[in-house]
Amino acid sequence: MGRSSFLLVLLALGFFFATYNLLTLVMHHKGSHSGSEELYNPVTGMPDEVRRWKGGPKFHVALTATDAPYSKWQCRIMYYWYKKMKDMYGSDMGGFTRVLHSGKPDNLMEEIPTVVVDPLPEGLDRGYIVLNRPWAFVQWLEKATIEEEYILMAEPDHIFVNPLPNLAHGEHPAAFPFFYIKPVENEKIIRKFYPEEKGPVANVDPIGNSPVIIKKVILEKIAPTWMNVSLRMKDDPETDKAFGWVLEMYAYAVASALHGVRHILRKDFMLQPPWDTEIGKNFIVHYTYGCDYNMKGELTYGKIGEWRFDKRSYLRGPPPRNLPLPPPGVPESVVRLVKMVNEATANIPGWDTE
């Protein structure tokens, strides 16, 4: 072998061992930092949120519902999007239960996993149907076998728009802060149910019970108190008048504070069209508000628009398939909401049935 050939062989061997050592170093780095924020793909790189997401404890999705047509069609759309998002990267969703507080099975039992519980005794809710929610959770937690350590309390008019991770942190539940829940501004009323010896009114979080991700063992303690505070609030004329349709939300916030539970407030937990105009990295669309626009794409809230989507337009039965899309200029959140409703209704068998 000539001198030049020998040098070529040495160079080739040197390149081989250098490459081998580099690969070994990379593999060792990956093995010793599994799940670390420092871990990355040495070839392509990965976005920060992909690198950092490690997966958390699974949570069980639970929503309370009635057997009214208005509740049914919303539950069907909600469950459709749960199934689509459940196994996507970034999701910590586990099982699903519709807690049906009508006292008897309905025609969705085979389509949606459901547990039937009793409503409050007749007349006790005084026409405020939401008062059944805490009672429904008390019964469900007593009778159901729930494998997951955490629970997401959700509602029929929620649509998962991005994969939802477990936003809770250990003993601290995660909740969405509502701008209209103002415990401090209602201190006089709150003090009827949250005495001074418990601490400042600021300990009562500006939240409702949904969306909330919470440890099951903590919810088991809070739920009976939540139910009792709800009934006491409804029995008090001043409180009933002041809190109105959000009374049960205040009751959950007060019950949590009575148990010393503070929530992590996550504004990205949920968006509410038409006021929130972009989907972004938010996780849930809550379509509680009507969306009314003229054909120029201008919001006409408070006045029925030339184009509109309002869930209350469909109290007696489901919306038709293929709803018309909003006119140009309407915010992304509203357009996406209608597209998601249309996708669900196009793919749910027997959509037009009650």
Side-chain angles (χ1 to χ4, degrees), residues 97-282:
T97 301
R98 179 181 64 134
V99 184
L100 180 63
H101 55 76
S102 300
K104 59 184 185 299
D106 65 5
N107 63 334
L108 296 182
M109 302 295 290
E110 294 184 7
E111 180 178 332
I112 305 175
T114 300
V115 170
V116 178
V117 296
D118 293 326
L120 288 168
E122 187 175 355
L124 197 58
D125 64 14
R126 297 192 181 95
Y128 181 52
I129 192 72
V130 185
L131 215 57
N132 284 277
R133 183 176 293 156
W135 174 225
F137 270 109
V138 168
Q139 294 175 82
W140 176 61
L141 290 166
E142 286 179 350
K143 70 191 298 185
T145 300
I146 306 159
E147 294 181 0
E148 295 84 359
E149 185 182 3
Y150 289 81
I151 292 169
L152 164 66
M153 292 188 283
E155 296 181 17
D157 60 353
H158 288 176
I159 293 178
F160 296 107
V161 71
N162 279 309
L164 178 60
N166 190 337
L167 303 176
H169 185 74
E171 303 298 309
H172 297 285
F176 176 79
F178 289 90
F179 70 90
Y180 49 80
I181 302 296
K182 302 175 180 180
V184 174
E185 292 183 20
N186 291 281
E187 180 168 5
K188 178 176 176 289
I189 294 175
I190 294 293
R191 282 301 185 198
K192 294 182 178 185
F193 312 94
Y194 187 72
E196 288 189 15
E197 58 266 26
K198 286 291 185 178
V201 169
N203 287 348
V204 180
D205 292 325
I207 61 171
N209 81 289
S210 177
V212 166
I213 299 177
I214 185 170
K215 266 193 171 181
K216 179 176 60 177
V217 292
I218 298 176
L219 183 57
E220 287 171 341
K221 296 175 183 176
I222 292 174
T225 308
W226 172 28
M227 182 186 72
N228 291 330
V229 172
S230 296
L231 293 171
R232 286 176 56 208
M233 284 184 171
K234 191 66 180 173
D235 279 339
D236 183 76
E238 183 185 18
T239 305
D240 191 20
K241 181 179 179 180
F243 291 165
W245 65 274
V246 297
L247 179 148
E248 168 268 340
M249 298 172 70
Y250 272 103
Y252 175 80
V254 168
S256 299
L258 288 170
H259 286 276
V261 175
R262 299 300 303 272
H263 295 69
I264 301 166
L265 304 181
R266 295 289 300 250
K267 290 185 177 180
D268 60 345
F269 209 152
M270 191 167 73
L271 70 147
Q272 303 185 97
W275 312 116
D276 298 312
T277 58
E278 296 180 358
I279 298 293
K281 295 183 178 180
N282 297 292

